[in-house]
Amino acid sequence: MDFQQIQVEMRESVGILILNAPDKLNALTPLMVAEISAAIDHIAANSRAMIMTGAGRAFCSGASLDPQNPLSPIDKDPSRRDLGLVLEQQLNPIMLKLKNLDIPWISAVRGAAAGFGASLALAADMVVASDTAYFAQIFSRIGLVPDGGATHLLTRAIGRVRTMELMLMGNRLPAEKALEWGLINRVVENKQLEEQAFTIALTLASGPSQALGMIRKAVWAATDNNWEMTLQNERELQRIAGQTLDFEEGLAAFSEKRPAAFNGQ
């Protein structure tokens, strides 16, 4: 597939989606958003795990506010201005698509993950950050509110009080502090970011793909459901998982005391 503002690489059974506008800190434009959506579909259909990362010194600085190429034109009449439309029509569909993926995915974050870029990074199943990375809820500094599901993601991961401070003050959260708070999974040296992310993704890609897909969906559901609904959802997913060939292989490998050779079926 040919892209202008992103790159897609297929390495072994891992698809790598690279936001590729480094001179703009990978700020999201209408074209980039459309390309991300298409790339997610392509990777989901052709790989068993995904990595999302950014070219250059930033992961993603959020929505483009460049007057020459904004993510959304801003009407000069406030009464006709609806910035929620860009969420409804362009950004929220990407977040829903990522939540409903059938494969696990990892964000590999270097430098800034700001605004919607922070939501994009933190929505991943696992977040690997370089020691240069930081996460910033910058909305209050320009008179807007957090988007991309940030209020959902952060309050459930780090609690209401810490989330309030980050969002009301708009300060940066360095990678080490994000790790301490349980918001991300790993902090690695800057030069090791891609290698570490790929190692994890390859491990996931060699796992029981259908079960991993159902695990990630079960965790998302449990984030919102009550206890009874969570138990029922797990029960139904377990029925499906128990019918896969990967389960038969896993059971055989356990009995034979050998590593399982999962094929994703």
Short mmCIF file of all heavy atoms in Angstrom, two decimals, residues 203-246:
data_model
loop_
_atom_site.label_atom_id
_atom_site.label_comp_id
_atom_site.label_asym_id
_atom_site.label_seq_id
_atom_site.Cartn_x
_atom_site.Cartn_y
_atom_site.Cartn_z
N THR A 203 6.85 -11.87 20.26
CA THR A 203 6.39 -12.85 21.24
C THR A 203 4.87 -12.99 21.18
O THR A 203 4.32 -14.10 21.19
CB THR A 203 6.81 -12.44 22.66
OG1 THR A 203 8.24 -12.41 22.72
CG2 THR A 203 6.30 -13.42 23.70
N LEU A 204 4.17 -11.86 21.11
CA LEU A 204 2.71 -11.90 21.01
C LEU A 204 2.27 -12.54 19.70
O LEU A 204 1.30 -13.31 19.68
CB LEU A 204 2.15 -10.48 21.12
CG LEU A 204 2.33 -9.78 22.47
CD1 LEU A 204 1.88 -8.33 22.37
CD2 LEU A 204 1.57 -10.50 23.57
N ALA A 205 2.98 -12.22 18.63
CA ALA A 205 2.60 -12.75 17.31
C ALA A 205 2.77 -14.25 17.23
O ALA A 205 2.12 -14.90 16.40
CB ALA A 205 3.43 -12.07 16.22
N SER A 206 3.63 -14.82 18.04
CA SER A 206 3.83 -16.27 18.02
C SER A 206 2.91 -16.98 19.02
O SER A 206 3.00 -18.19 19.19
CB SER A 206 5.29 -16.61 18.34
OG SER A 206 5.65 -16.16 19.63
N GLY A 207 2.04 -16.24 19.67
CA GLY A 207 1.12 -16.80 20.65
C GLY A 207 -0.17 -17.30 20.01
O GLY A 207 -0.33 -17.26 18.79
N PRO A 208 -1.11 -17.75 20.84
CA PRO A 208 -2.41 -18.22 20.33
C PRO A 208 -3.28 -17.03 19.94
O PRO A 208 -3.97 -16.44 20.78
CB PRO A 208 -2.99 -18.99 21.52
CG PRO A 208 -2.38 -18.33 22.71
CD PRO A 208 -1.00 -17.89 22.29
N SER A 209 -3.26 -16.69 18.67
CA SER A 209 -3.80 -15.41 18.21
C SER A 209 -5.26 -15.18 18.60
O SER A 209 -5.64 -14.09 19.03
CB SER A 209 -3.65 -15.29 16.70
OG SER A 209 -2.29 -15.32 16.34
N GLN A 210 -6.09 -16.20 18.43
CA GLN A 210 -7.50 -16.01 18.74
C GLN A 210 -7.70 -15.77 20.23
O GLN A 210 -8.48 -14.90 20.63
CB GLN A 210 -8.31 -17.22 18.28
CG GLN A 210 -8.37 -17.36 16.76
CD GLN A 210 -9.36 -18.41 16.33
OE1 GLN A 210 -10.55 -18.31 16.63
NE2 GLN A 210 -8.90 -19.42 15.63
N ALA A 211 -6.98 -16.51 21.06
CA ALA A 211 -7.10 -16.33 22.50
C ALA A 211 -6.60 -14.94 22.91
O ALA A 211 -7.23 -14.28 23.74
CB ALA A 211 -6.32 -17.41 23.24
N LEU A 212 -5.49 -14.49 22.33
CA LEU A 212 -4.95 -13.18 22.67
C LEU A 212 -5.94 -12.08 22.27
O LEU A 212 -6.13 -11.10 23.00
CB LEU A 212 -3.60 -12.95 22.00
CG LEU A 212 -2.45 -13.85 22.44
CD1 LEU A 212 -1.15 -13.43 21.77
CD2 LEU A 212 -2.29 -13.86 23.96
N GLY A 213 -6.56 -12.25 21.10
CA GLY A 213 -7.56 -11.28 20.68
C GLY A 213 -8.72 -11.22 21.64
O GLY A 213 -9.23 -10.14 21.97
N MET A 214 -9.15 -12.38 22.11
CA MET A 214 -10.27 -12.41 23.06
C MET A 214 -9.86 -11.90 24.43
O MET A 214 -10.66 -11.26 25.13
CB MET A 214 -10.85 -13.82 23.14
CG MET A 214 -11.63 -14.21 21.89
SD MET A 214 -12.47 -15.82 22.00
CE MET A 214 -11.09 -16.93 21.71
N ILE A 215 -8.61 -12.14 24.83
CA ILE A 215 -8.12 -11.62 26.11
C ILE A 215 -8.19 -10.10 26.11
O ILE A 215 -8.69 -9.47 27.05
CB ILE A 215 -6.69 -12.10 26.40
CG1 ILE A 215 -6.69 -13.59 26.77
CG2 ILE A 215 -6.05 -11.27 27.52
CD1 ILE A 215 -5.30 -14.19 26.84
N ARG A 216 -7.69 -9.49 25.03
CA ARG A 216 -7.66 -8.02 25.00
C ARG A 216 -9.09 -7.46 25.01
O ARG A 216 -9.36 -6.43 25.64
CB ARG A 216 -6.84 -7.50 23.83
CG ARG A 216 -7.38 -7.78 22.44
CD ARG A 216 -6.50 -7.20 21.35
NE ARG A 216 -6.22 -5.80 21.58
CZ ARG A 216 -7.07 -4.81 21.28
NH1 ARG A 216 -8.25 -5.10 20.76
NH2 ARG A 216 -6.76 -3.56 21.51
N LYS A 217 -10.01 -8.13 24.33
CA LYS A 217 -11.39 -7.65 24.32
C LYS A 217 -12.05 -7.85 25.68
O LYS A 217 -12.85 -7.02 26.12
CB LYS A 217 -12.17 -8.36 23.21
CG LYS A 217 -11.73 -7.92 21.82
CD LYS A 217 -12.50 -8.63 20.73
CE LYS A 217 -12.04 -8.16 19.36
NZ LYS A 217 -12.78 -8.82 18.25
N ALA A 218 -11.70 -8.95 26.35
CA ALA A 218 -12.26 -9.20 27.68
C ALA A 218 -11.79 -8.14 28.67
O ALA A 218 -12.56 -7.70 29.54
CB ALA A 218 -11.86 -10.59 28.16
N VAL A 219 -10.54 -7.75 28.57
CA VAL A 219 -10.02 -6.72 29.48
C VAL A 219 -10.70 -5.38 29.22
O VAL A 219 -11.08 -4.67 30.16
CB VAL A 219 -8.49 -6.61 29.34
CG1 VAL A 219 -7.97 -5.42 30.14
CG2 VAL A 219 -7.81 -7.89 29.81
N TRP A 220 -10.87 -5.03 27.95
CA TRP A 220 -11.59 -3.79 27.64
C TRP A 220 -13.01 -3.84 28.21
O TRP A 220 -13.49 -2.88 28.80
CB TRP A 220 -11.65 -3.57 26.12
CG TRP A 220 -10.49 -2.80 25.56
CD1 TRP A 220 -9.47 -3.29 24.80
CD2 TRP A 220 -10.25 -1.40 25.70
NE1 TRP A 220 -8.60 -2.28 24.46
CE2 TRP A 220 -9.06 -1.11 24.99
CE3 TRP A 220 -10.92 -0.37 26.34
CZ2 TRP A 220 -8.53 0.17 24.92
CZ3 TRP A 220 -10.40 0.92 26.28
CH2 TRP A 220 -9.21 1.17 25.57
N ALA A 221 -13.68 -4.97 28.02
CA ALA A 221 -15.05 -5.09 28.52
C ALA A 221 -15.09 -4.99 30.04
O ALA A 221 -15.98 -4.35 30.61
CB ALA A 221 -15.66 -6.42 28.05
N ALA A 222 -14.11 -5.61 30.69
CA ALA A 222 -14.09 -5.60 32.16
C ALA A 222 -13.85 -4.20 32.71
O ALA A 222 -14.26 -3.88 33.83
CB ALA A 222 -13.02 -6.55 32.68
N THR A 223 -13.21 -3.37 31.92
CA THR A 223 -12.98 -1.99 32.33
C THR A 223 -14.28 -1.25 32.54
O THR A 223 -14.39 -0.36 33.39
CB THR A 223 -12.13 -1.26 31.28
OG1 THR A 223 -10.89 -1.96 31.09
CG2 THR A 223 -11.81 0.16 31.72
N ASP A 224 -15.30 -1.64 31.78
CA ASP A 224 -16.59 -0.95 31.84
C ASP A 224 -17.68 -1.74 32.53
O ASP A 224 -18.60 -1.17 33.12
CB ASP A 224 -17.07 -0.63 30.42
CG ASP A 224 -16.09 0.27 29.69
OD1 ASP A 224 -15.55 1.19 30.32
OD2 ASP A 224 -15.85 0.04 28.49
N ASN A 225 -17.61 -3.07 32.46
CA ASN A 225 -18.71 -3.90 32.96
C ASN A 225 -18.70 -4.07 34.47
O ASN A 225 -17.66 -3.89 35.12
CB ASN A 225 -18.64 -5.30 32.32
CG ASN A 225 -18.97 -5.28 30.85
OD1 ASN A 225 -19.51 -4.31 30.33
ND2 ASN A 225 -18.63 -6.36 30.16
N ASN A 226 -19.84 -4.47 35.02
CA ASN A 226 -19.88 -4.85 36.42
C ASN A 226 -19.39 -6.29 36.57
O ASN A 226 -19.09 -6.97 35.59
CB ASN A 226 -21.29 -4.67 37.01
CG ASN A 226 -22.33 -5.55 36.31
OD1 ASN A 226 -22.03 -6.63 35.82
ND2 ASN A 226 -23.57 -5.08 36.29
N TRP A 227 -19.30 -6.76 37.78
CA TRP A 227 -18.73 -8.08 38.07
C TRP A 227 -19.50 -9.19 37.35
O TRP A 227 -18.91 -10.07 36.72
CB TRP A 227 -18.74 -8.30 39.58
CG TRP A 227 -18.21 -9.61 40.06
CD1 TRP A 227 -18.90 -10.60 40.69
CD2 TRP A 227 -16.86 -10.08 40.00
NE1 TRP A 227 -18.07 -11.64 41.02
CE2 TRP A 227 -16.81 -11.35 40.60
CE3 TRP A 227 -15.67 -9.54 39.48
CZ2 TRP A 227 -15.65 -12.10 40.70
CZ3 TRP A 227 -14.51 -10.28 39.57
CH2 TRP A 227 -14.50 -11.55 40.17
N GLU A 228 -20.82 -9.17 37.43
CA GLU A 228 -21.62 -10.22 36.83
C GLU A 228 -21.46 -10.26 35.31
O GLU A 228 -21.33 -11.33 34.71
CB GLU A 228 -23.10 -10.04 37.19
CG GLU A 228 -23.44 -10.32 38.64
CD GLU A 228 -23.02 -9.19 39.59
OE1 GLU A 228 -22.66 -8.10 39.09
OE2 GLU A 228 -23.07 -9.40 40.81
N MET A 229 -21.45 -9.08 34.67
CA MET A 229 -21.28 -9.03 33.23
C MET A 229 -19.89 -9.50 32.82
O MET A 229 -19.72 -10.15 31.78
CB MET A 229 -21.54 -7.60 32.73
CG MET A 229 -22.98 -7.15 32.85
SD MET A 229 -23.22 -5.42 32.35
CE MET A 229 -22.83 -5.52 30.60
N THR A 230 -18.89 -9.18 33.64
CA THR A 230 -17.53 -9.63 33.35
C THR A 230 -17.45 -11.15 33.39
O THR A 230 -16.85 -11.78 32.50
CB THR A 230 -16.54 -9.03 34.37
OG1 THR A 230 -16.50 -7.60 34.19
CG2 THR A 230 -15.14 -9.59 34.17
N LEU A 231 -18.05 -11.76 34.39
CA LEU A 231 -18.03 -13.22 34.49
C LEU A 231 -18.73 -13.86 33.30
O LEU A 231 -18.26 -14.85 32.74
CB LEU A 231 -18.70 -13.67 35.80
CG LEU A 231 -17.96 -13.31 37.09
CD1 LEU A 231 -18.78 -13.72 38.30
CD2 LEU A 231 -16.58 -13.97 37.14
N GLN A 232 -19.85 -13.29 32.89
CA GLN A 232 -20.59 -13.84 31.75
C GLN A 232 -19.79 -13.68 30.45
O GLN A 232 -19.76 -14.58 29.60
CB GLN A 232 -21.94 -13.16 31.63
CG GLN A 232 -22.81 -13.68 30.48
CD GLN A 232 -23.07 -15.17 30.56
OE1 GLN A 232 -23.23 -15.72 31.66
NE2 GLN A 232 -23.12 -15.85 29.42
N ASN A 233 -19.15 -12.53 30.28
CA ASN A 233 -18.35 -12.30 29.08
C ASN A 233 -17.18 -13.27 29.01
O ASN A 233 -16.88 -13.84 27.95
CB ASN A 233 -17.84 -10.86 29.06
CG ASN A 233 -17.16 -10.50 27.75
OD1 ASN A 233 -17.72 -10.70 26.68
ND2 ASN A 233 -15.94 -9.99 27.84
N GLU A 234 -16.51 -13.49 30.14
CA GLU A 234 -15.40 -14.44 30.18
C GLU A 234 -15.89 -15.85 29.85
O GLU A 234 -15.20 -16.61 29.15
CB GLU A 234 -14.73 -14.41 31.55
CG GLU A 234 -13.95 -13.14 31.83
CD GLU A 234 -13.41 -13.07 33.24
OE1 GLU A 234 -13.80 -13.93 34.07
OE2 GLU A 234 -12.61 -12.16 33.51
N ARG A 235 -17.07 -16.19 30.35
CA ARG A 235 -17.62 -17.52 30.09
C ARG A 235 -17.82 -17.74 28.58
O ARG A 235 -17.49 -18.78 28.03
CB ARG A 235 -18.96 -17.68 30.83
CG ARG A 235 -19.66 -19.03 30.60
CD ARG A 235 -20.81 -18.91 29.62
NE ARG A 235 -21.45 -20.20 29.38
CZ ARG A 235 -21.05 -21.07 28.46
NH1 ARG A 235 -19.99 -20.80 27.71
NH2 ARG A 235 -21.68 -22.21 28.27
N GLU A 236 -18.37 -16.74 27.89
CA GLU A 236 -18.64 -16.88 26.46
C GLU A 236 -17.34 -16.93 25.66
O GLU A 236 -17.19 -17.73 24.72
CB GLU A 236 -19.52 -15.73 25.98
CG GLU A 236 -19.86 -15.76 24.50
CD GLU A 236 -20.58 -17.04 24.07
OE1 GLU A 236 -21.17 -17.73 24.92
OE2 GLU A 236 -20.54 -17.35 22.86
N LEU A 237 -16.38 -16.09 26.01
CA LEU A 237 -15.11 -16.10 25.30
C LEU A 237 -14.35 -17.40 25.53
O LEU A 237 -13.67 -17.90 24.62
CB LEU A 237 -14.25 -14.90 25.74
CG LEU A 237 -14.78 -13.53 25.33
CD1 LEU A 237 -13.90 -12.43 25.93
CD2 LEU A 237 -14.84 -13.39 23.81
N GLN A 238 -14.48 -17.96 26.72
CA GLN A 238 -13.81 -19.23 27.00
C GLN A 238 -14.39 -20.35 26.14
O GLN A 238 -13.66 -21.26 25.71
CB GLN A 238 -13.94 -19.58 28.49
CG GLN A 238 -12.97 -20.64 28.97
CD GLN A 238 -11.57 -20.09 29.06
OE1 GLN A 238 -10.95 -19.74 28.06
NE2 GLN A 238 -11.04 -20.02 30.29
N ARG A 239 -15.69 -20.30 25.89
CA ARG A 239 -16.30 -21.29 25.00
C ARG A 239 -15.67 -21.24 23.62
O ARG A 239 -15.32 -22.28 23.04
CB ARG A 239 -17.82 -21.02 24.88
CG ARG A 239 -18.54 -21.99 23.94
CD ARG A 239 -19.99 -21.58 23.71
NE ARG A 239 -20.09 -20.34 22.97
CZ ARG A 239 -19.95 -20.25 21.63
NH1 ARG A 239 -19.70 -21.34 20.91
NH2 ARG A 239 -20.08 -19.09 21.03
N ILE A 240 -15.49 -20.02 23.10
CA ILE A 240 -14.91 -19.86 21.77
C ILE A 240 -13.44 -20.29 21.76
O ILE A 240 -13.00 -21.01 20.86
CB ILE A 240 -15.04 -18.39 21.31
CG1 ILE A 240 -16.53 -18.00 21.24
CG2 ILE A 240 -14.39 -18.18 19.96
CD1 ILE A 240 -16.76 -16.52 21.04
N ALA A 241 -12.69 -19.87 22.78
CA ALA A 241 -11.27 -20.21 22.84
C ALA A 241 -11.06 -21.72 22.91
O ALA A 241 -10.12 -22.27 22.32
CB ALA A 241 -10.63 -19.53 24.04
N GLY A 242 -11.93 -22.41 23.64
CA GLY A 242 -11.79 -23.85 23.81
C GLY A 242 -12.02 -24.64 22.55
O GLY A 242 -11.69 -25.83 22.49
N GLN A 243 -12.56 -23.99 21.50
CA GLN A 243 -12.82 -24.66 20.23
C GLN A 243 -11.71 -24.43 19.21
O GLN A 243 -11.81 -24.92 18.08
CB GLN A 243 -14.16 -24.19 19.67
CG GLN A 243 -15.35 -24.56 20.55
CD GLN A 243 -16.66 -23.94 20.07
OE1 GLN A 243 -16.67 -23.11 19.18
NE2 GLN A 243 -17.76 -24.36 20.67
N THR A 244 -10.66 -23.72 19.58
CA THR A 244 -9.59 -23.41 18.63
C THR A 244 -8.54 -24.51 18.58
O THR A 244 -8.33 -25.25 19.55
CB THR A 244 -8.90 -22.09 18.99
OG1 THR A 244 -8.24 -22.22 20.26
CG2 THR A 244 -9.90 -20.93 19.06
N LEU A 245 -7.84 -24.57 17.44
CA LEU A 245 -6.73 -25.50 17.29
C LEU A 245 -5.56 -25.11 18.18
O LEU A 245 -4.80 -25.97 18.63
CB LEU A 245 -6.29 -25.56 15.83
CG LEU A 245 -7.32 -26.11 14.83
CD1 LEU A 245 -6.76 -26.06 13.41
CD2 LEU A 245 -7.72 -27.53 15.20
N ASP A 246 -5.43 -23.81 18.44
CA ASP A 246 -4.35 -23.36 19.32
C ASP A 246 -4.52 -23.92 20.73
O ASP A 246 -3.53 -24.25 21.40
CB ASP A 246 -4.29 -21.82 19.37
CG ASP A 246 -3.49 -21.24 18.22
OD1 ASP A 246 -2.71 -21.99 17.61
OD2 ASP A 246 -3.62 -20.04 17.97
#
